[in-house]
Amino acid sequence: MIDVKTKKKKEELILSLFEEIVLVEDKSSLEYKKLLQKIYTPIWEWTLICFYKEDVQNSGVEIFHCIKRTLLKYENNSNTSYIGYLYSCIENEIRHNKKKDEFDKFRMCTNDEYNRAVRLIDAAKKIGKNPGNESVQIWLSKQSGLTLNELKDLVFRYYQSQIIENQIKDNENDEEISIFETDSVRNNYLTPEESLFKTEYLLEDLEKIEQAFAKCQERQKLYLSSFITLKVLQVLERNFLISQIVELVKERNFTDLELLKIFSSKLKMPTQGELAAKFGKDEGYISNRISEFFKKIE
C-alpha cells in the first residue's frame, strides 16, 4: 500500500529542487552538478514508493540515466507537471527493461571483464608467455593490480565465455553473434540498486579530483592529466560499463581525451611506465606524485 503522506513530501522536495535546477543557466557549473546529485536520492526514494521494489532494483542503472534525461529534456510549458513527466518516463523505462531477454545464466563474463581479459592475455602473448601458466598469471596480477585469485578467475571466465560465444549463431544468416552485444549483458559486480548509489558517491569523488587538479600548477597538469585519467579508468572499469565510464569522465577537467578514446575503442591501454617514458619522467617520481595527489583528495 502506498504511503501517500511520505509520497507527497518526496514530491514537494523533488519539485523544490527541480525549480532550483531550472534556474541555473550554466549546466556545466559546480552548482548545477551539486543540485543534480542532491535530487537523485529523493527521486529514487519516491520511485520505490510508486513502483514495485523488485522492478525498480532490476532497472536501477537504467532509471539513474532516465532521471538525468528527464532533468535535461523536461519543458516547463509541458501539459504535465515534472512529477507526471518523471513518472511516465520511469514507468516506460521499467516496462522496456522487463521486456528484455532474460539474463543468460550461462554467461561467465561481462563485456568490460572480457575486454580487460583480452588486454591482459594479449600482453602475455606478446612476450611469448602462456596466460594459463601460474608464473605468468602472477606477473599479470602485478601488472593489472588484481590479486592472483582475481586474475585466475578472470582468465577462467574469459575462456568459458569464448566457448559460449562460439556456440551462439544467428538462425537467419548463420553469422556469429557476440553475447556481449545482446540486451542480456549486465554489470556483474553490483546490483542495480548498488550501482545507482555507487554512482552518486562516485560523482562526489570525481568533483573532488577536479577541484584538486584545478589547483595544480599548469606545468604539472600537462602530465598529471594522463596519469590521473589512467588511474581513474582502471578503477572505474571494475564496476561500470565502458559507455557509462565515458559519460562520467568525458567532460572532466583532468581527463586526457586521447587516453579516453583509446579506452572507449577497447584498444590496449598504456602502462604507467610507458606514460612516464612518453613524458620523459621517472616512473618512481610519477608514482610519488600520483600518491600525493590522491592523498590530498582523501
Side-chain angles (χ1 to χ4, degrees), residues 171-196:
N171 291 329
E172 293 182 2
N173 55 26
D174 202 37
E175 293 180 356
E176 291 188 4
I177 300 176
S178 170
I179 55 175
F180 305 111
E181 295 174 354
T182 67
D183 286 333
S184 64
V185 173
R186 306 285 175 83
N187 189 308
N188 203 35
Y189 289 93
L190 305 170
T191 66
E193 186 175 11
E194 288 170 335
S195 292
L196 176 67

PDB file of all heavy atoms in Angstrom, residues 171-196:
ATOM      1  N   ASN A 171      20.138 -17.517 -36.480  1.00  0.00           N
ATOM      2  CA  ASN A 171      19.384 -18.513 -37.245  1.00  0.00           C
ATOM      3  C   ASN A 171      19.140 -18.085 -38.690  1.00  0.00           C
ATOM      4  O   ASN A 171      18.986 -18.920 -39.576  1.00  0.00           O
ATOM      5  CB  ASN A 171      18.036 -18.786 -36.575  1.00  0.00           C
ATOM      6  CG  ASN A 171      18.207 -19.504 -35.250  1.00  0.00           C
ATOM      7  OD1 ASN A 171      19.149 -20.275 -35.073  1.00  0.00           O
ATOM      8  ND2 ASN A 171      17.308 -19.248 -34.308  1.00  0.00           N
ATOM      9  N   GLU A 172      19.124 -16.778 -38.948  1.00  0.00           N
ATOM     10  CA  GLU A 172      18.788 -16.314 -40.288  1.00  0.00           C
ATOM     11  C   GLU A 172      19.986 -16.306 -41.226  1.00  0.00           C
ATOM     12  O   GLU A 172      19.907 -16.773 -42.354  1.00  0.00           O
ATOM     13  CB  GLU A 172      18.195 -14.904 -40.215  1.00  0.00           C
ATOM     14  CG  GLU A 172      16.844 -14.888 -39.505  1.00  0.00           C
ATOM     15  CD  GLU A 172      16.246 -13.497 -39.487  1.00  0.00           C
ATOM     16  OE1 GLU A 172      16.868 -12.583 -40.057  1.00  0.00           O
ATOM     17  OE2 GLU A 172      15.156 -13.339 -38.925  1.00  0.00           O
ATOM     18  N   ASN A 173      21.100 -15.761 -40.785  1.00  0.00           N
ATOM     19  CA  ASN A 173      22.242 -15.656 -41.692  1.00  0.00           C
ATOM     20  C   ASN A 173      23.450 -16.476 -41.244  1.00  0.00           C
ATOM     21  O   ASN A 173      24.507 -16.406 -41.840  1.00  0.00           O
ATOM     22  CB  ASN A 173      22.659 -14.192 -41.883  1.00  0.00           C
ATOM     23  CG  ASN A 173      22.930 -13.509 -40.561  1.00  0.00           C
ATOM     24  OD1 ASN A 173      23.283 -14.145 -39.574  1.00  0.00           O
ATOM     25  ND2 ASN A 173      22.754 -12.205 -40.529  1.00  0.00           N
ATOM     26  N   ASP A 174      23.283 -17.226 -40.158  1.00  0.00           N
ATOM     27  CA  ASP A 174      24.316 -18.128 -39.667  1.00  0.00           C
ATOM     28  C   ASP A 174      25.611 -17.401 -39.280  1.00  0.00           C
ATOM     29  O   ASP A 174      26.677 -17.990 -39.258  1.00  0.00           O
ATOM     30  CB  ASP A 174      24.632 -19.201 -40.714  1.00  0.00           C
ATOM     31  CG  ASP A 174      25.277 -20.423 -40.067  1.00  0.00           C
ATOM     32  OD1 ASP A 174      24.878 -20.768 -38.930  1.00  0.00           O
ATOM     33  OD2 ASP A 174      26.159 -21.040 -40.687  1.00  0.00           O
ATOM     34  N   GLU A 175      25.497 -16.097 -38.962  1.00  0.00           N
ATOM     35  CA  GLU A 175      26.665 -15.359 -38.513  1.00  0.00           C
ATOM     36  C   GLU A 175      26.757 -15.425 -37.002  1.00  0.00           C
ATOM     37  O   GLU A 175      25.752 -15.467 -36.313  1.00  0.00           O
ATOM     38  CB  GLU A 175      26.588 -13.890 -38.949  1.00  0.00           C
ATOM     39  CG  GLU A 175      26.696 -13.716 -40.452  1.00  0.00           C
ATOM     40  CD  GLU A 175      26.622 -12.244 -40.822  1.00  0.00           C
ATOM     41  OE1 GLU A 175      26.419 -11.420 -39.903  1.00  0.00           O
ATOM     42  OE2 GLU A 175      26.760 -11.937 -42.007  1.00  0.00           O
ATOM     43  N   GLU A 176      27.965 -15.434 -36.492  1.00  0.00           N
ATOM     44  CA  GLU A 176      28.143 -15.478 -35.046  1.00  0.00           C
ATOM     45  C   GLU A 176      27.697 -14.168 -34.416  1.00  0.00           C
ATOM     46  O   GLU A 176      27.900 -13.099 -34.959  1.00  0.00           O
ATOM     47  CB  GLU A 176      29.612 -15.732 -34.696  1.00  0.00           C
ATOM     48  CG  GLU A 176      30.093 -17.123 -35.057  1.00  0.00           C
ATOM     49  CD  GLU A 176      31.483 -17.393 -34.530  1.00  0.00           C
ATOM     50  OE1 GLU A 176      32.026 -16.518 -33.832  1.00  0.00           O
ATOM     51  OE2 GLU A 176      32.024 -18.462 -34.811  1.00  0.00           O
ATOM     52  N   ILE A 177      27.036 -14.277 -33.250  1.00  0.00           N
ATOM     53  CA  ILE A 177      26.604 -13.103 -32.501  1.00  0.00           C
ATOM     54  C   ILE A 177      27.299 -13.120 -31.156  1.00  0.00           C
ATOM     55  O   ILE A 177      27.214 -14.090 -30.426  1.00  0.00           O
ATOM     56  CB  ILE A 177      25.070 -13.116 -32.275  1.00  0.00           C
ATOM     57  CG1 ILE A 177      24.346 -13.116 -33.625  1.00  0.00           C
ATOM     58  CG2 ILE A 177      24.641 -11.917 -31.436  1.00  0.00           C
ATOM     59  CD1 ILE A 177      22.842 -13.234 -33.478  1.00  0.00           C
ATOM     60  N   SER A 178      28.007 -12.055 -30.843  1.00  0.00           N
ATOM     61  CA  SER A 178      28.686 -11.984 -29.551  1.00  0.00           C
ATOM     62  C   SER A 178      27.659 -11.851 -28.443  1.00  0.00           C
ATOM     63  O   SER A 178      26.721 -11.079 -28.543  1.00  0.00           O
ATOM     64  CB  SER A 178      29.634 -10.781 -29.516  1.00  0.00           C
ATOM     65  OG  SER A 178      30.109 -10.585 -28.202  1.00  0.00           O
ATOM     66  N   ILE A 179      27.843 -12.595 -27.358  1.00  0.00           N
ATOM     67  CA  ILE A 179      26.923 -12.483 -26.224  1.00  0.00           C
ATOM     68  C   ILE A 179      27.036 -11.119 -25.572  1.00  0.00           C
ATOM     69  O   ILE A 179      26.170 -10.709 -24.809  1.00  0.00           O
ATOM     70  CB  ILE A 179      27.198 -13.569 -25.161  1.00  0.00           C
ATOM     71  CG1 ILE A 179      28.657 -13.521 -24.711  1.00  0.00           C
ATOM     72  CG2 ILE A 179      26.816 -14.914 -25.646  1.00  0.00           C
ATOM     73  CD1 ILE A 179      28.975 -14.471 -23.585  1.00  0.00           C
ATOM     74  N   PHE A 180      28.109 -10.391 -25.893  1.00  0.00           N
ATOM     75  CA  PHE A 180      28.288  -9.073 -25.293  1.00  0.00           C
ATOM     76  C   PHE A 180      27.597  -7.986 -26.094  1.00  0.00           C
ATOM     77  O   PHE A 180      27.670  -6.813 -25.749  1.00  0.00           O
ATOM     78  CB  PHE A 180      29.783  -8.773 -25.149  1.00  0.00           C
ATOM     79  CG  PHE A 180      30.484  -9.851 -24.373  1.00  0.00           C
ATOM     80  CD1 PHE A 180      31.385 -10.688 -24.993  1.00  0.00           C
ATOM     81  CD2 PHE A 180      30.195 -10.051 -23.035  1.00  0.00           C
ATOM     82  CE1 PHE A 180      32.014 -11.693 -24.282  1.00  0.00           C
ATOM     83  CE2 PHE A 180      30.816 -11.057 -22.319  1.00  0.00           C
ATOM     84  CZ  PHE A 180      31.728 -11.890 -22.949  1.00  0.00           C
ATOM     85  N   GLU A 181      26.916  -8.344 -27.178  1.00  0.00           N
ATOM     86  CA  GLU A 181      26.164  -7.380 -27.966  1.00  0.00           C
ATOM     87  C   GLU A 181      24.663  -7.578 -27.775  1.00  0.00           C
ATOM     88  O   GLU A 181      23.858  -6.992 -28.482  1.00  0.00           O
ATOM     89  CB  GLU A 181      26.521  -7.523 -29.446  1.00  0.00           C
ATOM     90  CG  GLU A 181      27.970  -7.168 -29.742  1.00  0.00           C
ATOM     91  CD  GLU A 181      28.368  -7.454 -31.172  1.00  0.00           C
ATOM     92  OE1 GLU A 181      27.564  -8.038 -31.910  1.00  0.00           O
ATOM     93  OE2 GLU A 181      29.488  -7.105 -31.533  1.00  0.00           O
ATOM     94  N   THR A 182      24.268  -8.389 -26.823  1.00  0.00           N
ATOM     95  CA  THR A 182      22.857  -8.646 -26.559  1.00  0.00           C
ATOM     96  C   THR A 182      22.381  -7.835 -25.367  1.00  0.00           C
ATOM     97  O   THR A 182      23.168  -7.308 -24.592  1.00  0.00           O
ATOM     98  CB  THR A 182      22.613 -10.142 -26.251  1.00  0.00           C
ATOM     99  OG1 THR A 182      23.252 -10.449 -25.018  1.00  0.00           O
ATOM    100  CG2 THR A 182      23.180 -11.025 -27.346  1.00  0.00           C
ATOM    101  N   ASP A 183      21.053  -7.728 -25.228  1.00  0.00           N
ATOM    102  CA  ASP A 183      20.464  -6.966 -24.124  1.00  0.00           C
ATOM    103  C   ASP A 183      20.696  -7.615 -22.776  1.00  0.00           C
ATOM    104  O   ASP A 183      20.482  -6.998 -21.739  1.00  0.00           O
ATOM    105  CB  ASP A 183      18.945  -6.817 -24.338  1.00  0.00           C
ATOM    106  CG  ASP A 183      18.633  -5.826 -25.433  1.00  0.00           C
ATOM    107  OD1 ASP A 183      19.463  -4.921 -25.644  1.00  0.00           O
ATOM    108  OD2 ASP A 183      17.581  -5.947 -26.065  1.00  0.00           O
ATOM    109  N   SER A 184      21.121  -8.878 -22.782  1.00  0.00           N
ATOM    110  CA  SER A 184      21.263  -9.581 -21.503  1.00  0.00           C
ATOM    111  C   SER A 184      22.540  -9.233 -20.760  1.00  0.00           C
ATOM    112  O   SER A 184      22.739  -9.654 -19.633  1.00  0.00           O
ATOM    113  CB  SER A 184      21.228 -11.097 -21.727  1.00  0.00           C
ATOM    114  OG  SER A 184      22.341 -11.490 -22.501  1.00  0.00           O
ATOM    115  N   VAL A 185      23.424  -8.470 -21.398  1.00  0.00           N
ATOM    116  CA  VAL A 185      24.675  -8.101 -20.734  1.00  0.00           C
ATOM    117  C   VAL A 185      24.390  -7.163 -19.575  1.00  0.00           C
ATOM    118  O   VAL A 185      23.720  -6.165 -19.707  1.00  0.00           O
ATOM    119  CB  VAL A 185      25.646  -7.429 -21.725  1.00  0.00           C
ATOM    120  CG1 VAL A 185      26.875  -6.908 -20.983  1.00  0.00           C
ATOM    121  CG2 VAL A 185      26.075  -8.428 -22.782  1.00  0.00           C
ATOM    122  N   ARG A 186      24.866  -7.496 -18.405  1.00  0.00           N
ATOM    123  CA  ARG A 186      24.704  -6.660 -17.210  1.00  0.00           C
ATOM    124  C   ARG A 186      26.041  -6.492 -16.508  1.00  0.00           C
ATOM    125  O   ARG A 186      26.961  -7.275 -16.708  1.00  0.00           O
ATOM    126  CB  ARG A 186      23.730  -7.326 -16.222  1.00  0.00           C
ATOM    127  CG  ARG A 186      22.391  -7.693 -16.827  1.00  0.00           C
ATOM    128  CD  ARG A 186      21.515  -6.464 -17.037  1.00  0.00           C
ATOM    129  NE  ARG A 186      20.297  -6.821 -17.713  1.00  0.00           N
ATOM    130  CZ  ARG A 186      19.231  -7.321 -17.090  1.00  0.00           C
ATOM    131  NH1 ARG A 186      19.255  -7.509 -15.800  1.00  0.00           N
ATOM    132  NH2 ARG A 186      18.138  -7.624 -17.777  1.00  0.00           N
ATOM    133  N   ASN A 187      26.155  -5.513 -15.660  1.00  0.00           N
ATOM    134  CA  ASN A 187      27.343  -5.347 -14.833  1.00  0.00           C
ATOM    135  C   ASN A 187      27.339  -6.459 -13.788  1.00  0.00           C
ATOM    136  O   ASN A 187      26.369  -6.643 -13.071  1.00  0.00           O
ATOM    137  CB  ASN A 187      27.305  -3.972 -14.154  1.00  0.00           C
ATOM    138  CG  ASN A 187      28.600  -3.654 -13.458  1.00  0.00           C
ATOM    139  OD1 ASN A 187      29.095  -4.445 -12.666  1.00  0.00           O
ATOM    140  ND2 ASN A 187      29.158  -2.506 -13.745  1.00  0.00           N
ATOM    141  N   ASN A 188      28.427  -7.188 -13.689  1.00  0.00           N
ATOM    142  CA  ASN A 188      28.451  -8.388 -12.865  1.00  0.00           C
ATOM    143  C   ASN A 188      28.922  -8.139 -11.436  1.00  0.00           C
ATOM    144  O   ASN A 188      28.963  -9.044 -10.631  1.00  0.00           O
ATOM    145  CB  ASN A 188      29.371  -9.434 -13.518  1.00  0.00           C
ATOM    146  CG  ASN A 188      29.042 -10.831 -13.068  1.00  0.00           C
ATOM    147  OD1 ASN A 188      27.886 -11.150 -12.848  1.00  0.00           O
ATOM    148  ND2 ASN A 188      30.056 -11.667 -12.920  1.00  0.00           N
ATOM    149  N   TYR A 189      29.269  -6.887 -11.125  1.00  0.00           N
ATOM    150  CA  TYR A 189      29.831  -6.627  -9.811  1.00  0.00           C
ATOM    151  C   TYR A 189      28.797  -6.158  -8.788  1.00  0.00           C
ATOM    152  O   TYR A 189      28.854  -6.506  -7.626  1.00  0.00           O
ATOM    153  CB  TYR A 189      30.926  -5.553  -9.919  1.00  0.00           C
ATOM    154  CG  TYR A 189      32.166  -6.044 -10.590  1.00  0.00           C
ATOM    155  CD1 TYR A 189      32.336  -5.876 -11.961  1.00  0.00           C
ATOM    156  CD2 TYR A 189      33.172  -6.671  -9.879  1.00  0.00           C
ATOM    157  CE1 TYR A 189      33.475  -6.310 -12.596  1.00  0.00           C
ATOM    158  CE2 TYR A 189      34.322  -7.105 -10.510  1.00  0.00           C
ATOM    159  CZ  TYR A 189      34.466  -6.921 -11.862  1.00  0.00           C
ATOM    160  OH  TYR A 189      35.598  -7.360 -12.475  1.00  0.00           O
ATOM    161  N   LEU A 190      27.856  -5.315  -9.230  1.00  0.00           N
ATOM    162  CA  LEU A 190      26.916  -4.699  -8.296  1.00  0.00           C
ATOM    163  C   LEU A 190      25.479  -4.963  -8.713  1.00  0.00           C
ATOM    164  O   LEU A 190      25.186  -5.161  -9.879  1.00  0.00           O
ATOM    165  CB  LEU A 190      27.143  -3.178  -8.259  1.00  0.00           C
ATOM    166  CG  LEU A 190      28.548  -2.697  -7.941  1.00  0.00           C
ATOM    167  CD1 LEU A 190      28.643  -1.212  -8.194  1.00  0.00           C
ATOM    168  CD2 LEU A 190      28.894  -3.008  -6.504  1.00  0.00           C
ATOM    169  N   THR A 191      24.571  -4.948  -7.727  1.00  0.00           N
ATOM    170  CA  THR A 191      23.158  -4.990  -8.061  1.00  0.00           C
ATOM    171  C   THR A 191      22.803  -3.632  -8.643  1.00  0.00           C
ATOM    172  O   THR A 191      23.499  -2.638  -8.398  1.00  0.00           O
ATOM    173  CB  THR A 191      22.290  -5.233  -6.812  1.00  0.00           C
ATOM    174  OG1 THR A 191      22.419  -4.085  -5.952  1.00  0.00           O
ATOM    175  CG2 THR A 191      22.719  -6.478  -6.079  1.00  0.00           C
ATOM    176  N   PRO A 192      21.704  -3.516  -9.402  1.00  0.00           N
ATOM    177  CA  PRO A 192      21.315  -2.216  -9.948  1.00  0.00           C
ATOM    178  C   PRO A 192      21.186  -1.134  -8.888  1.00  0.00           C
ATOM    179  O   PRO A 192      21.599  -0.005  -9.085  1.00  0.00           O
ATOM    180  CB  PRO A 192      19.968  -2.524 -10.613  1.00  0.00           C
ATOM    181  CG  PRO A 192      20.081  -3.951 -11.022  1.00  0.00           C
ATOM    182  CD  PRO A 192      20.849  -4.595  -9.899  1.00  0.00           C
ATOM    183  N   GLU A 193      20.614  -1.485  -7.742  1.00  0.00           N
ATOM    184  CA  GLU A 193      20.436  -0.501  -6.676  1.00  0.00           C
ATOM    185  C   GLU A 193      21.795  -0.031  -6.151  1.00  0.00           C
ATOM    186  O   GLU A 193      22.026   1.154  -5.926  1.00  0.00           O
ATOM    187  CB  GLU A 193      19.618  -1.092  -5.532  1.00  0.00           C
ATOM    188  CG  GLU A 193      19.268  -0.059  -4.458  1.00  0.00           C
ATOM    189  CD  GLU A 193      18.363  -0.641  -3.397  1.00  0.00           C
ATOM    190  OE1 GLU A 193      18.188  -1.865  -3.380  1.00  0.00           O
ATOM    191  OE2 GLU A 193      17.829   0.140  -2.590  1.00  0.00           O
ATOM    192  N   GLU A 194      22.716  -0.964  -5.980  1.00  0.00           N
ATOM    193  CA  GLU A 194      24.046  -0.610  -5.506  1.00  0.00           C
ATOM    194  C   GLU A 194      24.771   0.263  -6.531  1.00  0.00           C
ATOM    195  O   GLU A 194      25.482   1.196  -6.185  1.00  0.00           O
ATOM    196  CB  GLU A 194      24.862  -1.884  -5.237  1.00  0.00           C
ATOM    197  CG  GLU A 194      24.404  -2.642  -4.000  1.00  0.00           C
ATOM    198  CD  GLU A 194      25.068  -4.009  -3.893  1.00  0.00           C
ATOM    199  OE1 GLU A 194      25.486  -4.559  -4.921  1.00  0.00           O
ATOM    200  OE2 GLU A 194      25.166  -4.523  -2.783  1.00  0.00           O
ATOM    201  N   SER A 195      24.563  -0.048  -7.814  1.00  0.00           N
ATOM    202  CA  SER A 195      25.201   0.733  -8.863  1.00  0.00           C
ATOM    203  C   SER A 195      24.734   2.178  -8.827  1.00  0.00           C
ATOM    204  O   SER A 195      25.515   3.102  -9.034  1.00  0.00           O
ATOM    205  CB  SER A 195      24.877   0.133 -10.239  1.00  0.00           C
ATOM    206  OG  SER A 195      25.501  -1.113 -10.385  1.00  0.00           O
ATOM    207  N   LEU A 196      23.453   2.374  -8.582  1.00  0.00           N
ATOM    208  CA  LEU A 196      22.898   3.723  -8.538  1.00  0.00           C
ATOM    209  C   LEU A 196      23.576   4.544  -7.459  1.00  0.00           C
ATOM    210  O   LEU A 196      24.076   5.635  -7.711  1.00  0.00           O
ATOM    211  CB  LEU A 196      21.384   3.667  -8.282  1.00  0.00           C
ATOM    212  CG  LEU A 196      20.715   5.032  -8.109  1.00  0.00           C
ATOM    213  CD1 LEU A 196      20.751   5.818  -9.404  1.00  0.00           C
ATOM    214  CD2 LEU A 196      19.298   4.883  -7.618  1.00  0.00           C
TER     215      LEU A 196
END
